[in-house]
Amino acid sequence: MVSALYVVLGAILIIKFSLNVVRIRRQYHVSLGDGGISDLQIAIRIHGNAVEYIPLALFLLVMMEMNGADIWMIHITGLFFFIARLLHAWGLRTRTRLWRRNAMVITLLSLAAMVAINLIFLPWDLAFNLN
């Protein structure tokens, strides 16, 4: 399954972002919340944003593959999604609004494409038990 590549990539990103939160918590001795530390607030938000979007995209990518979408469609939407997630994290870290805005546009467009491809390749006869 080619979508497994993106599942692994998503897991790696979430783990990486989580470790960033842990590292900054240790650095500033903050065990709960953000302690008013800007770096920690940003790291928490980067991790939280990844956890909000990555599972949905991974689910849609796996469903695309199970529904029989072409492999190139999985790669295109998966690559655009993960590039957007990296750009968003970079935009948050550098406080560059342009990166964040563009990353969210690409994220939402790639998610919309995943939804559309799933609808196109959905086995409608099985979905409504028309056999």
Side-chain angles (χ1 to χ4, degrees):
M1 288 185 69
V2 71
S3 58
L5 169 68
Y6 297 100
V7 172
V8 169
L9 182 59
I12 289 169
L13 278 180
I14 289 174
I15 291 167
K16 186 330 183 186
F17 295 153
S18 179
L19 290 173
N20 285 346
V21 172
V22 170
R23 178 182 53 79
I24 295 171
R25 283 187 186 284
R26 286 184 176 170
Q27 178 182 348
Y28 290 102
H29 307 288
V30 176
S31 62
L32 185 62
D34 59 32
I37 309 294
S38 178
D39 287 345
L40 183 53
Q41 292 167 351
I42 291 168
I44 289 170
R45 202 53 238 139
I46 288 171
H47 176 257
N49 197 273
V51 170
E52 292 165 2
Y53 284 95
I54 290 174
L56 174 61
L58 295 178
F59 181 72
L60 288 168
L61 285 171
V62 170
M63 291 297 103
M64 282 171 57
E65 189 163 7
M66 291 177 70
N67 286 333
D70 296 332
I71 290 175
W72 67 267
M73 294 175 176
I74 297 165
H75 281 303
I76 293 291
T77 55
L79 286 172
F80 271 103
F81 176 81
F82 280 104
I83 289 169
R85 294 292 77 216
L86 290 170
L87 290 175
H88 189 268
W90 178 258
L92 272 171
R93 185 166 309 282
T94 61
R95 298 179 179 153
T96 308
R97 199 173 283 177
L98 177 66
W99 288 108
R100 288 178 58 203
R101 181 175 45 89
N102 290 341
M104 281 311 303
V105 168
I106 297 167
T107 295
L108 295 174
L109 288 175
S110 62
L111 287 172
M114 291 175 202
V115 168
I117 291 168
N118 271 299
L119 288 173
I120 291 167
F121 283 90
L122 182 71
W124 289 96
D125 56 335
L126 296 176
F128 292 104
N129 201 17
L130 299 177
N131 287 338

